[in-house]
Amino acid sequence: VVHPDIGFGWHLIATAGGSTLCWIVVTVVTPPTDTAKLIAFYERVRPSAPGWRPIAARSPVSPAGTGWSDVVGWLAGLVFIYTGLFGVGKLVLEEWAAALVFLTAAVLSGLVIVRTARQPKHAGE
């Protein structure tokens, strides 16, 4: 419930600040994930982000490619979520032309996600 004397922006700042404080405290207080679990995750998902290099070095599985398909998939995911949300909003508001544009973009970005998810991480797969 938004208090009438406090603007929405301050509520948003308090909510974002509070949740950020919570995840920082939980991150600092809890023990790190077991290395064996991280290696198993790496071998199954094969993330190509630079932060995974220490885990990749401990795994017998060869590193994934350059990571460009991951970046394309990530960007397509952003487009999918936002155009899908705006598309449904436009349908609710009965703005048919805008809804068609947004939902078409959502379908196309969804196809990009499926295509990048199906690509093998390296030539041996």
Side-chain angles (χ1 to χ4, degrees), residues 26-73:
V26 168
T27 301
V28 170
V29 180
T30 57
T33 304
D34 182 47
T35 303
K37 280 188 178 184
L38 292 174
I39 292 171
F41 174 83
Y42 168 80
E43 291 174 354
R44 181 170 180 170
V45 177
R46 304 280 303 283
S48 57
W52 284 95
R53 284 191 188 125
I55 299 299
R58 294 176 158 204
S59 171
V61 176
S62 63
T66 62
W68 284 110
S69 67
D70 291 346
V71 172
V72 169

Side-chain angles (χ1 to χ4, degrees), residues 1 4 8 11 13 24 38 42 65 73 79 81-83 89 92 95 122:
V1 176
F8 172 76
H11 281 276
I13 289 170
I24 288 174
L38 292 174
Y42 168 80
V79 171
I81 293 294
Y82 283 107
T83 57
V92 169
E95 296 178 17
H122 64 86

Side-chain angles (χ1 to χ4, degrees), residues 76-88 99-113:
L78 288 174
V79 171
F80 179 78
I81 293 294
Y82 283 107
T83 57
L85 287 170
F86 287 128
V88 170
L100 179 65
V101 170
F102 282 121
L103 294 175
T104 300
V107 169
L108 292 174
S109 61
L111 293 173
V112 170
I113 292 168

